Amino acid sequence: MSTDVKQEPTLLLVGTDFRCAPIELRELVSCSGEQAEHALVHLLARPGVTEAFLLSTCNRTEIYLQPQDEDEAYRTSLELIFLQKAPELEKPGRLYVKRNGEAAHHLLAVASGLESMVLGEPEILGQVKQQAALAEHVGSTGPVLRRLLRSALAAGARARQETAITTGAVSLGYAVVELARNIFSGLEECQVLIIGAGEIARSVARPLVERGARELLVANRSEERARQFKEELPQAQLLSFAERLDALRTADVVIATTGADEPVLTRKQLKEAMASNVEAAASRLDNLFLHTIDSLDLLIQKNLKRRKEEVPRVEEILDQELQHFRSWVRGLEAEPIIAQMQKQAERIRQHELAEAFARFPPETHADLDRLTRALVRKILHHPSTQLRGRDGNHDLSRLDLVRELFRLDDDEPHGEPQR
């Protein structure tokens, strides 16, 4: 698929992501709200930059520019956004550079989840929208990047609405959420008990909290590890390891993520549970649904396969939205000619109106002005629409033809009727 956009304003993208740099380097160049605002202000202060948009998440930092001077803008972005904070990014392969159509297509793909570490990751569209609002607030986006961002947000929204690119959990935490939702009408009424406080426990707890779990209980042998868990997820209520058994009486969802060799819950102890190291015989209890890590992985692989099958449909949406952007860009080429046509028509109108006023009573002058203004507007509407390319025809030779037909390069008005 070709993504080349011809005859468009220059676009420049410089970035790094999870494919290019380890998390240690990505964290160095990641920008919070204040940092992003500061960076955009300083970018605009450089003479080589006309417009700028900064997208920074845990997995990527990208700067999109409409440069006045491409070489200067490139050096500026390297200095301010990347190399000041992480000189190691200067090594080959740590950064990528895209231009024009390739840069435009990339932003649309990012907003649609095609460039995420997890295919179809749902949070990125909101991040693009939030950082677009920041750039608008700072005033760093002008007509070109503002229109490109509108296309990117439209592509991302359509991908979610018209395809299944975000359907089904493809991470352990969201797989637990998906299974819980299959059992309960909603998580809002659920009390969740997590046994263990390691990284897996945190990765499972985050989406449960995000999706509105009513209460989160955490039981762990190590008090220090439990405190670290609560620092990251303050909503958690810490329990001692022994208190896990009392918590079973009220818990709706139980998740065991410890590294213990023996089951931390037995069939006798359990009322309702979902875990990887729960005694297998527990699954024979009524009203209990047991899913091991293997069953969760099967669900994840099934959902990921479904998302991959949706990629061609998402690409079709990107092509459509990119074509809208191309049409808008090419329409910019017609605006000076349209303005000349309107200026010429207005000169002719004023010339004829001045002569008409001498022959008509003063009380009719306002009506004559409104009438002639409406006539000019209606006469020029269709030619203007065609020149902007709204019919999909972008043959630039028609612009030269219009210049010749209307003699737009001349200073004096033409077209007055012969007397």
Side-chain angles (χ1 to χ4, degrees), residues 84-257:
Q84 277 186 0
K85 302 175 183 178
E88 300 92 334
L89 288 175
E90 199 165 18
K91 294 180 180 179
R94 294 297 197 193
L95 294 169
Y96 46 83
V97 179
K98 301 178 186 295
R99 292 177 174 82
N100 299 333
E102 188 182 11
H105 182 271
H106 181 82
L107 181 56
L108 270 64
V110 167
S112 301
L114 296 188
E115 295 291 330
S116 297
M117 181 181 290
V118 176
L119 181 64
E121 184 265 314
E123 306 302 328
I124 185 64
L125 181 61
Q127 292 168 332
V128 173
K129 185 179 298 184
Q130 181 180 12
Q131 296 188 32
L134 174 64
E136 183 71 19
H137 170 73
V138 173
S140 66
T141 51
V144 175
L145 286 182
R146 193 179 297 125
R147 184 61 180 82
L148 177 60
L149 282 164
R150 189 185 309 165
S151 296
L153 294 173
R158 287 186 59 195
R160 283 151 179 75
Q161 295 165 2
E162 300 174 24
T163 77
I165 193 67
T166 61
T167 301
V170 291
S171 67
L172 182 61
Y174 284 100
V176 171
V177 170
E178 184 173 324
L179 288 171
R181 282 178 163 176
N182 289 338
I183 298 168
F184 302 98
S185 59
L187 292 175
E188 295 78 9
E189 301 301 321
C190 289
Q191 183 188 77
V192 179
L193 169 62
I194 298 181
I195 303 175
E199 179 55 38
I200 293 178
R202 292 196 294 273
S203 70
V204 170
R206 289 186 205 103
L208 286 167
V209 171
E210 289 171 3
R211 295 301 185 267
R214 174 175 60 85
E215 191 174 3
L216 180 64
L217 310 177
V218 179
N220 193 63
R221 287 188 175 94
S222 166
E223 293 184 4
E224 177 60 27
R225 182 70 67 83
R227 282 195 294 271
Q228 292 173 356
F229 186 104
K230 188 171 178 63
E231 287 177 3
E232 186 169 333
L233 290 159
Q235 305 91 335
Q237 177 183 338
L238 301 184
L239 307 175
S240 68
F241 190 70
E243 288 175 319
R244 77 192 188 286
L245 300 180
D246 290 334
L248 285 175
R249 298 190 182 99
T250 57
D252 301 294
V253 178
V254 182
I255 303 162
T257 66

Side-chain angles (χ1 to χ4, degrees), residues 61-93:
T61 294
E62 298 176 340
I63 183 71
Y64 294 80
L65 302 171
Q66 210 241 316
Q68 183 73 26
D69 181 308
E70 186 172 337
D71 290 339
E72 174 64 23
Y74 173 69
R75 289 192 297 270
T76 296
S77 64
L78 281 185
E79 173 194 346
L80 292 181
I81 306 300
F82 299 105
L83 300 186
Q84 277 186 0
K85 302 175 183 178
E88 300 92 334
L89 288 175
E90 199 165 18
K91 294 180 180 179

